[in-house]
Amino acid sequence: MTLPIWWRTDPTQPVRIGPRELPGRIWTASGCFAYGLSGHDIRSLDVGSPYAGIGAVVTKTVTPQPRSGNPMPRLVELEHGAINSIGLENVGHAEFVEAVLPALEERGVPTVVSLAATRPDEFGPMCERLAEVGRGFVHWHGVELNLSCPNVAEGGHDFGSSPATVAECVAAARPHLPDRLLIAKLTPNVAQIAPLAAAAAEAGCDAIAAINTVLGLDIDLETGQPVLPRRFGGYSGPAIRPIALAKCDEIIRQVGVPVIGIGGIETADDALRFFALGCAAVQVGTAQMRDPFAAARMAAALRPDAATT
Amino acid sequence: MTLPIWWRTDPTQPVRIGPRELPGRIWTASGCFAYGLSGHDIRSLDVGSPYAGIGAVVTKTVTPQPRSGNPMPRLVELEHGAINSIGLENVGHAEFVEAVLPALEERGVPTVVSLAATRPDEFGPMCERLAEVGRGFVHWHGVELNLSCPNVAEGGHDFGSSPATVAECVAAARPHLPDRLLIAKLTPNVAQIAPLAAAAAEAGCDAIAAINTVLGLDIDLETGQPVLPRRFGGYSGPAIRPIALAKCDEIIRQVGVPVIGIGGIETADDALRFFALGCAAVQVGTAQMRDPFAAARMAAALRPDAATT
Amino acid sequence: MGPVTPTPWDLTGRVTANEPVSTGLLRLDVALPRTVGFRPGQFAMLNLTGPGQLVFRRPFSIFAADGETMSFLYRVVGRGTALMAALREGDAVDCLGPLGRPFLRPDADTPPALVLAGGVGLPPLHAWAEAHKRPDDLICFGGRDGGDVPWSLLDDRWHVSVDRADGVPPGRQAHEGLVTGLATELLAAYDGPRLVLACGPTPLLRAAAKLARDRGWPCEVSLEEHMGCGYGVCKGCVVPVLSDDLAGWRNATSCEEGPVFDAATLDWDRLGASHGGVA
Amino acid sequence: MGPVTPTPWDLTGRVTANEPVSTGLLRLDVALPRTVGFRPGQFAMLNLTGPGQLVFRRPFSIFAADGETMSFLYRVVGRGTALMAALREGDAVDCLGPLGRPFLRPDADTPPALVLAGGVGLPPLHAWAEAHKRPDDLICFGGRDGGDVPWSLLDDRWHVSVDRADGVPPGRQAHEGLVTGLATELLAAYDGPRLVLACGPTPLLRAAAKLARDRGWPCEVSLEEHMGCGYGVCKGCVVPVLSDDLAGWRNATSCEEGPVFDAATLDWDRLGASHGGVA
Ligand SMILES: Cc1cc2nc3c(=O)[nH]c(=O)nc-3n(C[C@H](O)[C@H](O)[C@H](O)COP(=O)(O)OP(=O)(O)OC[C@H]3O[C@@H](n4cnc5c(N)ncnc54)[C@H](O)[C@@H]3O)c2cc1C
Ligand SMILES: Cc1cc2nc3c(=O)[nH]c(=O)nc-3n(C[C@H](O)[C@H](O)[C@H](O)COP(=O)(O)OP(=O)(O)OC[C@H]3O[C@@H](n4cnc5c(N)ncnc54)[C@H](O)[C@@H]3O)c2cc1C
Ligand SMILES: Cc1cc2nc3c(=O)[nH]c(=O)nc-3n(C[C@H](O)[C@H](O)[C@H](O)COP(=O)(O)O)c2cc1C
Ligand SMILES: Cc1cc2nc3c(=O)[nH]c(=O)nc-3n(C[C@H](O)[C@H](O)[C@H](O)COP(=O)(O)O)c2cc1C
Ligand code: FES
Ligand code: FES
């Protein structure tokens, strides 16, 4: 791979976003790398560990209570992407802060904790408790508010599509995280994403993560029925990349807030497209499922000295 | 190809939608088959003509004045689809009604005329004049209001994302087309499409066509700049099919109005997915560019006797 | 789970052979750049194309790992396996494995096994039978017909059943009927408690589990759940297992806690419901 | 436009040959299920993959159509042409053509031609030169170096120029420099008005158009505009041509009104601007 001449950034070098310095610009996306405790034992000949060079693992979204998620099947491969309706299966906030967060700190995994709730005011207590347990942790960098999961709410729509609610969520979290990174992750399933990003920025978040999955549906031809029991799911993977790029561009050009690009990033070239728009970092989602080393390999390939080493 | 057991419809048989009986359920989509006068001379060994078995050609969108469209490049192939910003290049309404519509009638092309405007009240006079010239025409079936082209308006958004404006457009057109099919074509670039469909249905349209292209952007890696001069474009092709299916399902299940499915339909199987949801007809867009016979071949393949003939 | 399982590697291998071993089964041999261990029942995720074609890798039980060659047996059922069948000598295949929880490794206290392999469920149990050559084990394979059975892979320890007897080669024997029928016959002939190990279609697994449960025998089954990642990060492969939670059950990832499960821990009713009621 | 052009067919052909004819050019021969005519300058849209890979077909000038075999010359520049180079004998290729407006068919009144083919612009002009063997025509090809020139395809009517002279085979001659330089030399030697025909990189087309315009000669150029459909339905391939509209110009589809245009009708300034100012 030859890097384009306009690219001069080493994505494995520290980057400051909001109040934190993170160890790099290539992250893994929420829900696509579990809690950051999986895959540590996997080896490859090119990149030592799946975690090598990664700027942050955004954890699977954690909710106030444990959730067992939606019925199976809940992740289906499509022609150019995947559709999922995992339904935020997670261990719940209590177990997460007690067992998982300390394990991440111990392992030295740069971590951003993804949180979701069904009411904006639930974010406050969750962040407060995180800050309590995580006080002094050096690898826990902050929180990403998942304001956009289309699988949970009825009909696939969610409270993250109203600027006022987005602002409320950010405002609930912010005071508890004075020195941690606070990211609002937005849904693309809106007419305009910039007003949501602006509302989040105004309410005090440090960065916007975009995009979450796109509402989609597929049909099992044999039965004529939707492939997912709940009909709709979240569409991810290479097919949604142009949509993600459009949404990131809209935010970057209309709102003065750092953007973390997500959506269909499979290769170093794909990551470069988001950086070309001005994204501060990117997250690798679906591609991480095919390849535990997807993000790590991207990070290695995008070092300006990569061609010569 | 084996047809699934639930499929028993012959898409080349007449179908009634609103006040009209059209000759079939497989149509070509606006902007992807010009005015229905191209390609008549192309031959193949399997299907005689690209028009064989087609239910309707939806014309390239016609606007009150002629338009030369956007600067080149304005149609770019992506990995799993295409992105375009043609900018509604068209001959203008006057030339269309005087020269094109009569030619279509003479050739016997089943036609739905796509119209766009920048103000809702422009639809009235356009429809009135169409009805005047088209009085007595048997192959002109009606009008599709393109309420969704994201390329024209500033920033890519458009007046078709407000239920009130959609209703206004439909209401402006309806009185002039008492016995013709009136279709509202909606944009997918909204949080919820059902309210738009409901507004259109209430204002008197006979069917909803969904979806138009999805707002997208791609980057030329060499330059780091968007591939289209206007940055954004309309994303079409196989990648958007799951999104289109989700939008059609939303309308069908929430609004009692016939739906014409569009988006990424490349093969007979893809068309079946939309029919499985309950779509009354489908339109073939981008696939028609790769294959002038795409719709015609689909129609032939979906005849229940296709396997045995 | 016994001793630690071998380290999983993500390696780009080269196809050295890809040929039918019966009418329905093909064998793929991949030469890897280094030796990788495995325990029978573990699987690998095969990346059959570059980016731009298949979004996910495909899970396949490891049939054998001999030096640097890893082997698989497979059936063409869809897009990925069709691409797999088209692989030629020298083609690249990324191979991530071994992954998952293997079948139990027997020790001196383990009763003799009743092995039930149905169709494409053969590879992990063949590997198990090769790894643990215990004289009293009863080892059964069920195929569709004589042509479907990979006779060359089955030494004379294997009892074979076929739905239809046509195509059984001269000198080989096959019980006509289900593999569970064959098992019942064999159990009548050979008395005593058994460890039941099963891999194959869901009805076979259910029958095996019931057979064991009715007799109070231990039983392990290998489930074929659709997988996104194969290494525990997507939660797309869960199966319900019994637990002492309030709910009485919880989700287990079949790629990490399985694919081999203790049949007694699976919530079979819920499994049926969440899998379209597969019998 | 002269007589009606041959009927376009969409036919599934089979590759009969796919081999280099020079360091940079390959030749693809496709056997079609029936004879298809063409006129030099026309092109075909080749479907190089099934659905699921390339969204659009790719346009290629028809190099020759001999009985049921249609031939193309091409250079690998991207995804589609890379797939094209990988085609093997017997592989299927859908071929839609002939399409587009051809080069002028000369009659008794047509002045002798000056043919300027640059690199991959060779096929349509080679076809034209084969179709119209008029003794006074000046026929030129410009390549990168001696190896880049498909000598075996160029009989001794062809004058050849190369950017760098290395690799010119013994017994063949090549002018060192641009093909327009070669043309200037030839024009000095052979006097009189000419029909200029050009196909190749944009600078060559511009130079050809200027040369003709300065002398008041007729000139046709073949443009390589990116195409979606190739048969006039997408409006993704437009180029600006002069018109007596209010605006002074209008868009012409290069797949229907072109790819061959009368150089005098093209709005060269606007063409430059809308094409990133390509010189
Ligand atoms: C742990 C494990 C071990 C397996 N071992 C073998 C083996 O040794 N030999 C063999 O032939 N098959 C085995 N399978 C099944 C094999 O993974 C599928 O046949 C294969 O994934 C089908 O892919 P496809 O693209 O051809 O089918 P498609 O139906 O086109 O695939 C679409 C999607 O469904 C999934 N899928 C389809 N069928 C199955 C299935 N039965 N199980 C799991 N996922 C499926 C695919 O992985 C893919 O994500 C195993 C499955 C699992 C989970
Ligand atoms: C009328 C016409 C005749 C042509 N004749 C020949 C010929 O005889 N031999 C030959 O080698 N090439 C010819 N070309 C150019 C050829 O079409 C391109 O090289 C080819 O499309 C590149 O495809 P790709 O996938 O390899 O490149 P990519 O750059 O990966 O293609 C991406 C997209 O850009 C388009 N594209 C890229 N380069 C060109 C180009 N130069 N012209 C038009 N579209 C392009 C492709 O069609 C595709 O839509 C012709 C083009 C036209 C318009
Ligand atoms: C299986 C799966 C599970 C996901 N779970 C979450 C989640 O828990 N929280 C979240 O914010 N996003 C979740 N996502 C969305 C991804 O983080 C990402 O935003 C999206 O998939 C687009 O990126 P991609 O195309 O690279 O996958 C999930 C995506 C997938 C495919
Ligand atoms: C090149 C191009 C031009 C289009 N022009 C129009 C148009 O003029 N009016 C319109 O309503 N839709 C237009 N569309 C949108 C299509 O009609 C269709 O809604 C969309 O492309 C999705 O379908 P597809 O994926 O099958 O292409 C255009 C699409 C393309 C690709
Ligand atoms: S397959 Fe992803 S968690 Fe098991
Ligand atoms: S390529 Fe589609 S109109 Fe010319």
Side-chain angles (χ1 to χ4, degrees), chain D residues 154-222:
Chain D
L154 306 181
D155 62 27
D156 54 17
R157 293 181 300 156
W158 285 84
H159 302 270
V160 174
S161 77
V162 287
D163 300 344
R164 291 186 323 280
D166 40 295
V168 175
R172 306 293 304 238
Q173 287 209 328
H175 167 96
E176 200 169 336
L178 294 179
V179 70
T180 43
L182 169 60
T184 313
E185 273 185 23
L186 291 169
L187 288 177
Y190 302 89
D191 208 14
R194 302 220 156 240
L195 162 68
V196 180
L197 303 178
C199 184
T202 313
L204 169 61
L205 305 185
R206 281 190 185 270
K210 181 173 181 334
L211 182 153
R213 188 173 59 234
D214 290 350
R215 292 164 177 76
W217 295 347
C219 175
E220 288 192 330
V221 297
S222 177

Side-chain angles (χ1 to χ4, degrees), chain A residues 31-35 38-39 41-46 60 67-82 86 89 237-238 266-267 286 288-293 297, chain C residues 7-11 33-34 45 47 49-58 79 96 99 225-239 249 251-252 256 274-276:
Chain A
C32 303
F33 213 42
Y35 299 113
S38 300
D41 53 337
I42 304 177
R43 291 284 161 271
S44 80
L45 294 173
D46 53 347
K60 173 77 198 169
R67 294 174 57 97
S68 58
N70 288 334
M72 291 282 284
R74 54 193 201 176
L75 173 62
V76 176
E77 186 189 79
L78 307 185
E79 243 179 293
H80 307 301
I86 303 288
E89 168 166 344
E266 289 197 299
T267 64
T286 303
Q288 203 60 29
M289 292 179 206
R290 177 165 56 203
D291 182 359
F293 294 88
R297 286 184 174 134
Chain C
T7 300
W9 282 83
D10 182 22
L11 298 169
R34 54 158 289 149
M45 295 294 288
N47 193 3
T49 63
Q53 283 200 51
L54 297 179
V55 176
F56 296 143
R57 297 193 191 203
R58 299 291 189 262
R79 216 149 66 104
L96 170 65
L99 298 166
E225 195 43 81
H226 286 217
M227 288 183 179
C229 68
Y231 69 103
V233 298
C234 73
K235 307 299 168 202
C237 66
V238 296
V239 293
W249 69 281
N251 278 330
E256 278 195 325
S274 73
H275 289 67

Side-chain angles (χ1 to χ4, degrees), chain A residues 131-222:
Chain A
E132 225 171 82
V133 175
R135 187 183 336 258
F137 283 17
V138 299
H139 300 292
W140 170 50
H141 291 288
V143 162
E144 181 178 279
L145 304 178
N146 174 0
L147 305 175
S148 40
C149 193
N151 306 320
V152 181
E154 201 59 44
H157 298 289
D158 46 66
F159 63 84
S161 50
S162 131
T165 320
V166 165
E168 245 185 290
C169 296
V170 173
R174 183 78 275 180
H176 306 289
L177 304 166
D179 54 355
R180 305 278 166 177
L181 180 57
L182 179 59
I183 304 170
K185 182 172 180 183
L186 297 179
T187 173
N189 302 305
V190 292
Q192 308 198 343
I193 200 168
L196 296 164
E202 218 159 295
C205 80
D206 303 307
I208 301 294
I211 58 175
N212 210 312
T213 55
V214 178
L215 210 59
L217 184 154
D218 197 29
I219 292 287
D220 177 341
L221 268 187
E222 228 169 282

Side-chain angles (χ1 to χ4, degrees), chain D residues 226-237 253-255:
Chain D
H226 286 217
M227 289 184 178
C229 68
Y231 69 104
V233 299
C234 73
K235 307 300 170 201
C237 67
T253 50
S254 67
C255 66

